[in-house]
Amino acid sequence: MILIKYVLALDEGTTSARTVLFDSDCRVVSMAQREFTQIYPKEGWVEHNAVEIYAMQLASVTECVAKSGVSPSDIAAIGITNQRETTVVWDKHTGEPICNAIVWQCRRTADICEQLQGRGVSDYVAEKTGLRIDAYFSGTKLKWILDNVPDARRRAEKGDLLFGTVDCWLLWKLTGGKIHATDRTNASRTMLYDLSADRWDDKMLDILDIPACMLPEVRSSSELFGFTDIMGSQIPVCGIAGDQQSALFGQGCFEAGEAKNTYGTGCFLLANTGTKRSEVKNGLIVTAAATCKGEPVQYAAEGSIFAAGAVIQWLRDELHIIKSSAQSEEMAMQTDNNGGVYLVPAFVGMGAPYWDMRARAAIFGMTRGTDRNILCRAALESIAYQTNDLIRVMRSAGFPLKCLKADGGASQNSFLMQFQADISDTDVLLPVSPEATALGAALLAGLAVGVWRDRSAIKGKLATGIKYTPNMDAFEREKLLDGWQRAVLACRSF
Ligand code: ADP
């Protein structure tokens, strides 16, 4: 009799909590998903209710396991992957969050960031944390909560409050308040973590006025964190990684030089740099990659694009020219070329490699004949152009990126994937299952309990699905890239 073991991945994203059950061949056995509320209290502010997130996560776990037909006692381990940077502060006695979680997209701390830049600490932040000073990361969000929620600072200093990113919050809840820990991939997104020394940085805590007693213990991404009860069975939680590092692992990018791009609401291109830290330059930042207990710390270079799939949602929800995201593909395919039209989706400024908060979105080159199909095409092409900008800076920073491994919702769009291969003159590979983010957490958890012996045992199971190969002549490519660059320049000087 063959003993099949299962691993459960809790994939807590920005808009929904999902749970995916994998078997030991890395195949998806069952999946469930629950959306939760997006709270926009003011222009540029984004919040979540952490209690709701936990409830939705639990509901998706129950549904996923129940419909799989798998007995909870056959689940060997649980892995958690999460939206990164989102900041939760709760009372350790009552378990109640003291305010809504501040979401990674929230720009409320832009002023705090400007003040920090004015104090001349940018180089220190880059050297210690691998990041740029930006409202995107957790540190200033935590400071904001301590400065603005009544009595928060006094309670934090007294040791009554705990801070965590969403992985840490879920782990604390799942273990009945016993374990207050996170993993290095999440810690590296707080702007409070000394990447090279591998510990919280006292000077950053000092600069942001954050009491050390509220911070979680930081561990590797694959080890025993604690136990949780799933429908009467005690199951070990043994894997934690932020969503992008989890996808890097789930795509099997274990060696230096291997890279993946996740095409979701935004796009995140990460290249594993092994045990060597890259520099914070050319718009790229440094982040901890997922590693197992006892292994040396590994790093990744990261480029973040804020609007990717979001531009397709915009076509659907604001312009109403498509009914579903998938429809953008058939419409783009109706036209032979872009008709000279470029769309730059700088809705919230531009992320890497430009990091320009003042840039605004625009469409260029329209004629009276420009129609919905061309707009769809220009929107999809904009995702590939932005990714190509990152590939370019990655290459000039010394990462060869021999091919691009793609995943995420918009990677299901074959027009986009072919255009990416063409415009970047590189092969684009898709995994058999697009669930790379959840799979990464499952692999990290399974490795800790021996479902998989080591990375080589996993590599053999990560079969590649479709491969897109470049099919565009160099002259055409240069012409299109020139048009894109001119459009970006215009958006940035608007
Ligand atoms: P996230 O984890 O950021 O919520 P997902 O990986 O679930 O993102 O992908 C959702 C995003 O991908 C949405 O912005 C959606 O518009 C886009 N998307 C999904 N399917 C397609 C498609 N076939 N073509 C283009 N975009 C798509």
Side-chain angles (χ1 to χ4, degrees), residues 330-355:
E330 55 181 83
M331 290 179 63
M333 301 273 233
Q334 304 288 316
T335 70
D336 292 337
N337 56 56
N338 70 358
V341 174
Y342 293 86
L343 191 165
V344 184
F347 297 121
V348 288
M350 296 190 85
Y354 306 102
W355 293 100

PDB file of all heavy atoms in Angstrom, residues 330-355:
ATOM      1  N   GLU A 330      -8.898  37.507 -25.939  1.00  0.00           N
ATOM      2  CA  GLU A 330      -9.493  37.368 -27.277  1.00  0.00           C
ATOM      3  C   GLU A 330      -9.618  38.726 -27.952  1.00  0.00           C
ATOM      4  O   GLU A 330      -9.458  38.835 -29.168  1.00  0.00           O
ATOM      5  CB  GLU A 330     -10.847  36.646 -27.201  1.00  0.00           C
ATOM      6  CG  GLU A 330     -11.814  37.315 -26.259  1.00  0.00           C
ATOM      7  CD  GLU A 330     -13.157  36.593 -26.156  1.00  0.00           C
ATOM      8  OE1 GLU A 330     -13.238  35.628 -25.390  1.00  0.00           O
ATOM      9  OE2 GLU A 330     -14.094  37.051 -26.845  1.00  0.00           O
ATOM     10  N   MET A 331      -9.844  39.795 -27.177  1.00  0.00           N
ATOM     11  CA  MET A 331      -9.958  41.112 -27.798  1.00  0.00           C
ATOM     12  C   MET A 331      -8.603  41.599 -28.320  1.00  0.00           C
ATOM     13  O   MET A 331      -8.512  42.125 -29.429  1.00  0.00           O
ATOM     14  CB  MET A 331     -10.579  42.103 -26.816  1.00  0.00           C
ATOM     15  CG  MET A 331     -12.048  41.744 -26.609  1.00  0.00           C
ATOM     16  SD  MET A 331     -12.923  42.777 -25.462  1.00  0.00           S
ATOM     17  CE  MET A 331     -12.842  44.363 -26.237  1.00  0.00           C
ATOM     18  N   ALA A 332      -7.568  41.393 -27.540  1.00  0.00           N
ATOM     19  CA  ALA A 332      -6.228  41.813 -27.989  1.00  0.00           C
ATOM     20  C   ALA A 332      -5.829  41.064 -29.257  1.00  0.00           C
ATOM     21  O   ALA A 332      -5.185  41.619 -30.147  1.00  0.00           O
ATOM     22  CB  ALA A 332      -5.210  41.555 -26.879  1.00  0.00           C
ATOM     23  N   MET A 333      -6.261  39.810 -29.340  1.00  0.00           N
ATOM     24  CA  MET A 333      -5.895  38.979 -30.494  1.00  0.00           C
ATOM     25  C   MET A 333      -6.606  39.419 -31.786  1.00  0.00           C
ATOM     26  O   MET A 333      -6.246  38.988 -32.865  1.00  0.00           O
ATOM     27  CB  MET A 333      -6.267  37.511 -30.237  1.00  0.00           C
ATOM     28  CG  MET A 333      -5.608  36.925 -29.030  1.00  0.00           C
ATOM     29  SD  MET A 333      -4.007  36.258 -29.399  1.00  0.00           S
ATOM     30  CE  MET A 333      -4.204  34.626 -28.752  1.00  0.00           C
ATOM     31  N   GLN A 334      -7.643  40.267 -31.650  1.00  0.00           N
ATOM     32  CA  GLN A 334      -8.364  40.737 -32.837  1.00  0.00           C
ATOM     33  C   GLN A 334      -7.534  41.724 -33.655  1.00  0.00           C
ATOM     34  O   GLN A 334      -7.891  42.049 -34.779  1.00  0.00           O
ATOM     35  CB  GLN A 334      -9.662  41.468 -32.442  1.00  0.00           C
ATOM     36  CG  GLN A 334     -10.625  40.678 -31.590  1.00  0.00           C
ATOM     37  CD  GLN A 334     -11.309  39.590 -32.363  1.00  0.00           C
ATOM     38  OE1 GLN A 334     -11.748  39.823 -33.479  1.00  0.00           O
ATOM     39  NE2 GLN A 334     -11.357  38.399 -31.794  1.00  0.00           N
ATOM     40  N   THR A 335      -6.477  42.255 -33.075  1.00  0.00           N
ATOM     41  CA  THR A 335      -5.685  43.245 -33.808  1.00  0.00           C
ATOM     42  C   THR A 335      -4.291  42.678 -34.097  1.00  0.00           C
ATOM     43  O   THR A 335      -3.761  41.908 -33.300  1.00  0.00           O
ATOM     44  CB  THR A 335      -5.505  44.552 -32.998  1.00  0.00           C
ATOM     45  OG1 THR A 335      -4.633  44.265 -31.916  1.00  0.00           O
ATOM     46  CG2 THR A 335      -6.806  45.078 -32.470  1.00  0.00           C
ATOM     47  N   ASP A 336      -3.737  43.092 -35.243  1.00  0.00           N
ATOM     48  CA  ASP A 336      -2.433  42.552 -35.637  1.00  0.00           C
ATOM     49  C   ASP A 336      -1.291  43.254 -34.914  1.00  0.00           C
ATOM     50  O   ASP A 336      -0.198  42.735 -34.810  1.00  0.00           O
ATOM     51  CB  ASP A 336      -2.206  42.765 -37.149  1.00  0.00           C
ATOM     52  CG  ASP A 336      -3.161  41.915 -37.941  1.00  0.00           C
ATOM     53  OD1 ASP A 336      -3.628  40.910 -37.365  1.00  0.00           O
ATOM     54  OD2 ASP A 336      -3.448  42.275 -39.098  1.00  0.00           O
ATOM     55  N   ASN A 337      -1.531  44.493 -34.499  1.00  0.00           N
ATOM     56  CA  ASN A 337      -0.460  45.236 -33.832  1.00  0.00           C
ATOM     57  C   ASN A 337      -1.088  46.273 -32.910  1.00  0.00           C
ATOM     58  O   ASN A 337      -2.309  46.368 -32.813  1.00  0.00           O
ATOM     59  CB  ASN A 337       0.467  45.904 -34.865  1.00  0.00           C
ATOM     60  CG  ASN A 337      -0.317  46.791 -35.809  1.00  0.00           C
ATOM     61  OD1 ASN A 337      -1.021  47.695 -35.356  1.00  0.00           O
ATOM     62  ND2 ASN A 337      -0.231  46.526 -37.103  1.00  0.00           N
ATOM     63  N   ASN A 338      -0.251  47.058 -32.243  1.00  0.00           N
ATOM     64  CA  ASN A 338      -0.793  47.975 -31.225  1.00  0.00           C
ATOM     65  C   ASN A 338      -1.331  49.274 -31.832  1.00  0.00           C
ATOM     66  O   ASN A 338      -1.772  50.159 -31.101  1.00  0.00           O
ATOM     67  CB  ASN A 338       0.268  48.263 -30.141  1.00  0.00           C
ATOM     68  CG  ASN A 338       1.414  49.122 -30.662  1.00  0.00           C
ATOM     69  OD1 ASN A 338       1.445  49.476 -31.847  1.00  0.00           O
ATOM     70  ND2 ASN A 338       2.346  49.460 -29.794  1.00  0.00           N
ATOM     71  N   GLY A 339      -1.232  49.419 -33.157  1.00  0.00           N
ATOM     72  CA  GLY A 339      -1.740  50.626 -33.806  1.00  0.00           C
ATOM     73  C   GLY A 339      -1.045  51.884 -33.312  1.00  0.00           C
ATOM     74  O   GLY A 339      -1.601  52.975 -33.368  1.00  0.00           O
ATOM     75  N   GLY A 340       0.137  51.739 -32.778  1.00  0.00           N
ATOM     76  CA  GLY A 340       0.895  52.894 -32.271  1.00  0.00           C
ATOM     77  C   GLY A 340       0.408  53.371 -30.908  1.00  0.00           C
ATOM     78  O   GLY A 340       0.799  54.439 -30.435  1.00  0.00           O
ATOM     79  N   VAL A 341      -0.451  52.569 -30.236  1.00  0.00           N
ATOM     80  CA  VAL A 341      -1.035  53.015 -28.959  1.00  0.00           C
ATOM     81  C   VAL A 341      -0.286  52.388 -27.776  1.00  0.00           C
ATOM     82  O   VAL A 341      -0.016  51.182 -27.759  1.00  0.00           O
ATOM     83  CB  VAL A 341      -2.540  52.643 -28.895  1.00  0.00           C
ATOM     84  CG1 VAL A 341      -3.126  52.974 -27.523  1.00  0.00           C
ATOM     85  CG2 VAL A 341      -3.296  53.377 -29.984  1.00  0.00           C
ATOM     86  N   TYR A 342       0.032  53.232 -26.800  1.00  0.00           N
ATOM     87  CA  TYR A 342       0.707  52.777 -25.572  1.00  0.00           C
ATOM     88  C   TYR A 342      -0.101  53.248 -24.371  1.00  0.00           C
ATOM     89  O   TYR A 342      -0.524  54.408 -24.326  1.00  0.00           O
ATOM     90  CB  TYR A 342       2.122  53.374 -25.462  1.00  0.00           C
ATOM     91  CG  TYR A 342       3.054  52.855 -26.536  1.00  0.00           C
ATOM     92  CD1 TYR A 342       3.105  53.477 -27.790  1.00  0.00           C
ATOM     93  CD2 TYR A 342       3.847  51.749 -26.300  1.00  0.00           C
ATOM     94  CE1 TYR A 342       3.928  52.986 -28.787  1.00  0.00           C
ATOM     95  CE2 TYR A 342       4.685  51.255 -27.289  1.00  0.00           C
ATOM     96  CZ  TYR A 342       4.716  51.878 -28.527  1.00  0.00           C
ATOM     97  OH  TYR A 342       5.540  51.391 -29.503  1.00  0.00           O
ATOM     98  N   LEU A 343      -0.295  52.337 -23.403  1.00  0.00           N
ATOM     99  CA  LEU A 343      -0.994  52.691 -22.167  1.00  0.00           C
ATOM    100  C   LEU A 343       0.017  52.540 -21.028  1.00  0.00           C
ATOM    101  O   LEU A 343       0.618  51.470 -20.877  1.00  0.00           O
ATOM    102  CB  LEU A 343      -2.175  51.744 -21.963  1.00  0.00           C
ATOM    103  CG  LEU A 343      -3.214  52.050 -20.891  1.00  0.00           C
ATOM    104  CD1 LEU A 343      -4.469  51.195 -21.126  1.00  0.00           C
ATOM    105  CD2 LEU A 343      -2.718  51.806 -19.487  1.00  0.00           C
ATOM    106  N   VAL A 344       0.214  53.589 -20.254  1.00  0.00           N
ATOM    107  CA  VAL A 344       1.124  53.486 -19.100  1.00  0.00           C
ATOM    108  C   VAL A 344       0.255  53.520 -17.834  1.00  0.00           C
ATOM    109  O   VAL A 344      -0.315  54.555 -17.503  1.00  0.00           O
ATOM    110  CB  VAL A 344       2.149  54.653 -19.075  1.00  0.00           C
ATOM    111  CG1 VAL A 344       3.133  54.452 -17.917  1.00  0.00           C
ATOM    112  CG2 VAL A 344       2.905  54.738 -20.392  1.00  0.00           C
ATOM    113  N   PRO A 345       0.126  52.378 -17.122  1.00  0.00           N
ATOM    114  CA  PRO A 345      -0.842  52.318 -16.005  1.00  0.00           C
ATOM    115  C   PRO A 345      -0.276  52.836 -14.690  1.00  0.00           C
ATOM    116  O   PRO A 345      -0.308  52.140 -13.680  1.00  0.00           O
ATOM    117  CB  PRO A 345      -1.167  50.827 -15.928  1.00  0.00           C
ATOM    118  CG  PRO A 345       0.081  50.145 -16.383  1.00  0.00           C
ATOM    119  CD  PRO A 345       0.766  51.073 -17.353  1.00  0.00           C
ATOM    120  N   ALA A 346       0.203  54.079 -14.702  1.00  0.00           N
ATOM    121  CA  ALA A 346       0.825  54.633 -13.494  1.00  0.00           C
ATOM    122  C   ALA A 346      -0.256  55.202 -12.569  1.00  0.00           C
ATOM    123  O   ALA A 346      -0.194  56.361 -12.153  1.00  0.00           O
ATOM    124  CB  ALA A 346       1.839  55.710 -13.879  1.00  0.00           C
ATOM    125  N   PHE A 347      -1.240  54.374 -12.213  1.00  0.00           N
ATOM    126  CA  PHE A 347      -2.381  54.860 -11.423  1.00  0.00           C
ATOM    127  C   PHE A 347      -1.954  55.362 -10.042  1.00  0.00           C
ATOM    128  O   PHE A 347      -2.554  56.260  -9.484  1.00  0.00           O
ATOM    129  CB  PHE A 347      -3.417  53.745 -11.240  1.00  0.00           C
ATOM    130  CG  PHE A 347      -4.019  53.266 -12.529  1.00  0.00           C
ATOM    131  CD1 PHE A 347      -3.912  51.933 -12.911  1.00  0.00           C
ATOM    132  CD2 PHE A 347      -4.693  54.137 -13.363  1.00  0.00           C
ATOM    133  CE1 PHE A 347      -4.476  51.484 -14.088  1.00  0.00           C
ATOM    134  CE2 PHE A 347      -5.259  53.700 -14.553  1.00  0.00           C
ATOM    135  CZ  PHE A 347      -5.141  52.362 -14.913  1.00  0.00           C
ATOM    136  N   VAL A 348      -0.957  54.680  -9.450  1.00  0.00           N
ATOM    137  CA  VAL A 348      -0.463  55.134  -8.129  1.00  0.00           C
ATOM    138  C   VAL A 348       1.020  55.475  -8.236  1.00  0.00           C
ATOM    139  O   VAL A 348       1.825  55.118  -7.388  1.00  0.00           O
ATOM    140  CB  VAL A 348      -0.682  54.051  -7.037  1.00  0.00           C
ATOM    141  CG1 VAL A 348      -2.149  53.935  -6.680  1.00  0.00           C
ATOM    142  CG2 VAL A 348      -0.112  52.701  -7.452  1.00  0.00           C
ATOM    143  N   GLY A 349       1.386  56.154  -9.314  1.00  0.00           N
ATOM    144  CA  GLY A 349       2.802  56.392  -9.587  1.00  0.00           C
ATOM    145  C   GLY A 349       3.394  55.129 -10.191  1.00  0.00           C
ATOM    146  O   GLY A 349       2.657  54.221 -10.595  1.00  0.00           O
ATOM    147  N   MET A 350       4.696  55.060 -10.255  1.00  0.00           N
ATOM    148  CA  MET A 350       5.334  53.860 -10.793  1.00  0.00           C
ATOM    149  C   MET A 350       6.302  53.284  -9.766  1.00  0.00           C
ATOM    150  O   MET A 350       7.022  54.024  -9.097  1.00  0.00           O
ATOM    151  CB  MET A 350       6.082  54.179 -12.087  1.00  0.00           C
ATOM    152  CG  MET A 350       5.140  54.635 -13.191  1.00  0.00           C
ATOM    153  SD  MET A 350       5.936  54.747 -14.801  1.00  0.00           S
ATOM    154  CE  MET A 350       5.801  53.038 -15.364  1.00  0.00           C
ATOM    155  N   GLY A 351       6.302  51.957  -9.660  1.00  0.00           N
ATOM    156  CA  GLY A 351       7.242  51.259  -8.777  1.00  0.00           C
ATOM    157  C   GLY A 351       8.570  51.059  -9.494  1.00  0.00           C
ATOM    158  O   GLY A 351       9.026  51.924 -10.252  1.00  0.00           O
ATOM    159  N   ALA A 352       9.180  49.908  -9.273  1.00  0.00           N
ATOM    160  CA  ALA A 352      10.492  49.630  -9.855  1.00  0.00           C
ATOM    161  C   ALA A 352      10.406  49.592 -11.378  1.00  0.00           C
ATOM    162  O   ALA A 352       9.398  49.154 -11.915  1.00  0.00           O
ATOM    163  CB  ALA A 352      10.997  48.292  -9.335  1.00  0.00           C
ATOM    164  N   PRO A 353      11.437  50.011 -12.114  1.00  0.00           N
ATOM    165  CA  PRO A 353      12.656  50.581 -11.565  1.00  0.00           C
ATOM    166  C   PRO A 353      12.590  52.098 -11.388  1.00  0.00           C
ATOM    167  O   PRO A 353      13.590  52.707 -11.060  1.00  0.00           O
ATOM    168  CB  PRO A 353      13.680  50.230 -12.657  1.00  0.00           C
ATOM    169  CG  PRO A 353      12.896  50.247 -13.926  1.00  0.00           C
ATOM    170  CD  PRO A 353      11.496  49.810 -13.567  1.00  0.00           C
ATOM    171  N   TYR A 354      11.397  52.709 -11.620  1.00  0.00           N
ATOM    172  CA  TYR A 354      11.328  54.176 -11.651  1.00  0.00           C
ATOM    173  C   TYR A 354      11.122  54.796 -10.271  1.00  0.00           C
ATOM    174  O   TYR A 354      11.629  55.862  -9.983  1.00  0.00           O
ATOM    175  CB  TYR A 354      10.189  54.622 -12.588  1.00  0.00           C
ATOM    176  CG  TYR A 354      10.322  54.025 -13.961  1.00  0.00           C
ATOM    177  CD1 TYR A 354       9.548  52.941 -14.359  1.00  0.00           C
ATOM    178  CD2 TYR A 354      11.271  54.503 -14.866  1.00  0.00           C
ATOM    179  CE1 TYR A 354       9.687  52.365 -15.616  1.00  0.00           C
ATOM    180  CE2 TYR A 354      11.426  53.935 -16.123  1.00  0.00           C
ATOM    181  CZ  TYR A 354      10.626  52.864 -16.485  1.00  0.00           C
ATOM    182  OH  TYR A 354      10.779  52.299 -17.717  1.00  0.00           O
ATOM    183  N   TRP A 355      10.315  54.135  -9.420  1.00  0.00           N
ATOM    184  CA  TRP A 355       9.968  54.655  -8.093  1.00  0.00           C
ATOM    185  C   TRP A 355       9.607  56.137  -8.191  1.00  0.00           C
ATOM    186  O   TRP A 355      10.230  56.994  -7.582  1.00  0.00           O
ATOM    187  CB  TRP A 355      11.100  54.431  -7.083  1.00  0.00           C
ATOM    188  CG  TRP A 355      11.314  52.986  -6.772  1.00  0.00           C
ATOM    189  CD1 TRP A 355      12.273  52.181  -7.301  1.00  0.00           C
ATOM    190  CD2 TRP A 355      10.554  52.147  -5.883  1.00  0.00           C
ATOM    191  NE1 TRP A 355      12.146  50.896  -6.806  1.00  0.00           N
ATOM    192  CE2 TRP A 355      11.113  50.848  -5.926  1.00  0.00           C
ATOM    193  CE3 TRP A 355       9.451  52.353  -5.044  1.00  0.00           C
ATOM    194  CZ2 TRP A 355      10.609  49.771  -5.184  1.00  0.00           C
ATOM    195  CZ3 TRP A 355       8.958  51.286  -4.303  1.00  0.00           C
ATOM    196  CH2 TRP A 355       9.535  50.019  -4.374  1.00  0.00           C
TER     197      TRP A 355
END
